[in-house]
Amino acid sequence: DVKVTQSSRYLVKRTGEKVFLECVQDMDHENMFWYRQDPGLGLRLIYFSYDVKMKEKGDIPEGYSVSREKKERFSLILESASTNQTSMYLCASTLPSGNTEAFFGQGTRLTVV
Amino acid sequence: AQSVTQLGSHVSVSEGALVLLRCNYSSSVPPYLFWYVQYPNQGLQLLLKYTSAATLVKGINGFEAEFKKSETSFHLTKPSAHMSDAAEYFCAVSPNSNYQLIWGAGTKLIIKP
């Protein structure tokens, strides 16, 4: 059974903390993505990576960074968490083709207080 | 820029009634089109995808969608709604790139007993 696993389902962090969200996939996919999901806004792309050590900014990269040191792992970092980063974060992976299915993790609901 | 429009943030139908969720896209060339479903507190999973092989696409759980190039639409239907269909549904487009999906804002499907 193919899997994308996010390290936490729920997280509560304080304003100003550095936050790490981890994502691991076991499908040997080249592409990995971090999305943010907010009601009425759908999925907004934060960053994506098409290869190890490669990254590209998505639509809303401000306040975030990413790391991809190994093919199977893609980390999202909130350098200094703020309350407006309270959201659901979704990780996904795909093969490098436009018609391929995206596989999603279960999501991490992050609350910044 | 490419965009995806889902008409109606919430759609309510009675159990056993027809489900129709609307999706329109903007694209100068036929893209790859997808419908994903998200059950409460879960990640997204693929319902079906259009990749130009056939305009009527059948997916899981009795859902299907028809690609209409002249209307730039890819509406999702199911003949008879079931309580277990209550979820949020997302339409997505992959223009021609090899990695980026463009998402609609999502439609929450509510099933009335």
Side-chain angles (χ1 to χ4, degrees):
Chain A
D1 201 19
V2 295
K3 258 198 180 154
V4 178
T5 304
Q6 294 183 229
S7 52
S8 305
R9 291 295 303 274
Y10 300 94
L11 272 181
V12 180
K13 296 292 181 180
R14 294 195 181 279
T15 301
E17 275 193 79
K18 192 168 186 176
V19 181
F20 293 86
L21 303 184
E22 305 285 345
C23 176
V24 178
Q25 52 98 358
D26 65 1
M27 294 164 284
D28 202 36
H29 282 170
E30 285 80 1
N31 298 337
M32 295 188 75
F33 306 80
W34 275 107
Y35 291 97
R36 174 176 169 159
Q37 182 182 14
D38 299 289
L41 297 178
L43 275 69
R44 292 182 291 168
L45 182 64
I46 305 171
Y47 268 96
F48 64 93
S49 169
Y50 51 90
D51 202 351
V52 175
K53 297 192 186 294
M54 306 304 288
K55 60 186 179 185
E56 293 282 344
K57 292 180 180 179
D59 301 316
I60 52 164
E62 297 78 18
Y64 303 93
S65 62
V66 290
S67 172
R68 193 164 179 204
E69 296 296 320
K70 293 186 178 181
K71 190 175 185 181
E72 67 270 20
R73 186 180 297 270
F74 192 35
S75 303
L76 179 69
I77 303 151
L78 286 66
E79 297 291 341
S80 176
S82 64
T83 54
N84 63 12
Q85 293 178 309
T86 291
S87 188
M88 169 72 93
Y89 291 87
L90 292 167
C91 175
S93 72
T94 73
L95 291 167
S97 169
N99 67 350
T100 188
E101 176 180 356
F103 291 87
F104 282 82
Q106 295 278 70
T108 297
R109 189 166 292 282
L110 173 67
T111 302
V112 182
V113 298
Chain B
Q2 302 278 354
S3 66
V4 177
T5 303
Q6 290 185 239
L7 268 179
S9 59
H10 293 78
V11 169
S12 180
V13 302
S14 298
E15 192 173 17
L18 171 73
V19 175
L20 170 61
L21 303 182
R22 299 177 188 273
C23 173
N24 288 87
Y25 65 92
S26 68
S27 176
S28 57
V29 294
Y32 300 118
L33 294 153
F34 304 82
W35 276 100
Y36 285 81
V37 60
Q38 184 180 33
Y39 297 104
N41 297 315
Q42 293 189 27
L44 281 71
Q45 63 183 87
L46 183 69
L47 261 185
L48 50 81
K49 66 179 181 181
Y50 166 76
T51 58
S52 77
T55 56
L56 184 63
V57 182
K58 293 189 185 301
I60 62 171
N61 301 336
F63 284 92
E64 61 182 37
E66 186 173 8
F67 171 67
K68 290 187 176 180
K69 183 179 175 182
S70 60
E71 299 176 8
T72 60
S73 69
F74 190 56
H75 302 331
L76 182 70
T77 60
K78 181 173 180 177
S80 177
H82 192 273
M83 295 300 290
S84 61
D85 295 327
E88 190 159 17
Y89 292 79
F90 292 90
C91 182
V93 168
S94 176
N96 279 314
S97 63
N98 64 352
Y99 39 67
Q100 196 155 346
L101 283 169
I102 298 165
W103 296 87
T107 297
K108 267 207 176 106
L109 179 63
I110 300 158
I111 312 295
K112 297 178 290 187

